[in-house]
C-alpha cells in the first residue's frame, strides 16, 4: 500500500504496528495506534459499597446541631439553664430559650444523620443506561472497523486510508500525524458510516 505523501511501500496496518508485528523505527510508541477503547457495559459495573461523601448542607447541620447541644450542656453544667433574675414570665422565657437550644440542636443532628443515610450514588435509569450502552457499542464497532483498515507509513511517519477501503466512494485520505490518529479514526467512522445504526 503506497503512502500518499512519500509514495513508498514501507507501510503496515495500524494493528501490525500496535501489536509490534513489524520492525518499528526507533522511538515509536505503538500505543499511539491503539484500537478504540471498548465501552463498559453498565450492567457489569458494581457500585461502591460506601456511601458518597456528605454534602455541605448535611455537614453544616451536624456541626451546628452538635454546637447547640454542647452549648446547652455547658449552660446546664454552669447552672445557666434557669435564672433567678426578673419576674416569672422572664424566668419562663429564659428556661424556654434554654430548652429550644437543646431541641434545635437535636433536630439538626437528626436531620443531618437522616440526610447522610439517605445519600445514594446517582444511578441512571437502567433502561436509559442500556440504551446509551448500545449506542456506545455501535459507535465502537464502527471505529474498530475503521481502525482495522488504517495503514501506517513507517518512513514519514503517519496514518492513512487507501482509496475505497472504508466506502467504495471514498478517495484515499492524506497522511495524518500519529498524534491525531484516534481523532482521525473517530472522524472517519462518522463520515463512512453516518446514519448506520
Ligand atoms: Zn510515507
Amino acid at each position: 500500500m503506497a503512502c500518499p505523501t512519500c509514495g513508498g511501500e514501507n507501510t503496515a496496518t495500524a494493528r501490525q504496528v500496535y501489536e509490534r508485528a513489524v520492525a518499528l523505527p526507533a522511538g515509536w510508541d505503538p500505543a499511539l495506534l491503539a484500537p478504540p477503547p471498548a465501552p463498559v457495559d453498565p450492567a457489569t459495573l458494581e457500585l461502591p459499597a460506601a456511601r458518597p461523601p456528605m454534602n455541605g448542607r448535611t455537614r453544616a447541620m451536624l456541626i451546628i446541631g452538635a454546637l447547640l447541644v454542647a452549648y446547652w450542656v455547658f449552660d446546664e453544667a454552669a447552672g445557666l439553664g434557669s435564672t433567678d433574675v426578673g419576674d416569672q414570665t422572664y424566668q419562663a422565657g429564659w428556661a424556654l430559650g434554654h430548652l429550644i437550644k437543646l431541641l434545635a440542636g437535636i433536630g439538626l443532628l437528626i436531620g443531618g444523620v437522616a440526610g447522610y443515610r439517605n445519600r445514594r450514588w446517582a444511578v441512571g435509569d437502567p433502561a436509559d443506561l442500556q440504551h446509551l450502552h448500545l449506542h456506545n457499542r455501535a459507535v465502537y464497532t464502527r471505529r474498530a472497523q475503521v481502525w482495522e483498515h488504517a495503514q501506517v507509513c513507517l518512513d514519514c511517519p503517519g496514518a492513512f486510508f487507501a482509496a475505497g477501503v472504508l466506502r467504495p466512494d471514498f478517495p484515499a485520505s492524506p497522511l495524518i500525524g500519529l498524534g491525531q490518529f484516534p481523532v482521525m479514526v473517530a472522524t472517519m467512522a462518522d463520515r463512512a458510516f453516518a446514519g448506520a445504526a
Side-chain angles (χ1 to χ4, degrees), residues 62-141:
L62 290 175
I63 291 172
I64 296 171
L67 282 175
L68 282 172
V69 171
Y71 193 17
W72 180 86
V73 170
F74 177 79
D75 278 359
E76 191 70 3
L80 296 172
S82 56
T83 179
D84 299 333
V85 182
D87 57 14
Q88 267 193 342
T89 313
Y90 181 79
Q91 288 177 11
W94 184 281
L96 184 65
H98 184 59
L99 182 65
I100 285 174
K101 214 180 291 166
L102 175 67
L103 293 179
I106 290 174
L108 283 171
L109 284 178
I110 291 173
V113 169
Y116 176 63
R117 292 177 66 97
N118 286 335
R119 281 185 76 69
R120 296 277 182 275
W121 295 99
V123 181
D125 182 340
D128 285 349
L129 284 180
Q130 206 51 41
H131 185 77
L132 179 68
H133 178 60
L134 285 178
H135 170 78
N136 289 342
R137 190 83 220 158
V139 169
Y140 162 72
T141 306

Side-chain angles (χ1 to χ4, degrees), residues 3-8 10-11 153-158 160 175:
C3 165
T5 296
C6 68
N10 188 17
T11 60
C153 175
L154 300 172
D155 290 330
C156 281
F160 64 96
L175 195 73

Side-chain angles (χ1 to χ4, degrees), residues 15 17-18 21 26 43-44 46 56 60 62 84 95 123 134 155 186 191-192:
R15 176 184 282 279
V17 173
Y18 176 66
T44 64
E46 273 185 40
L62 290 175
D84 299 333
V123 181
L134 285 178
D155 290 330
R191 282 178 50 198

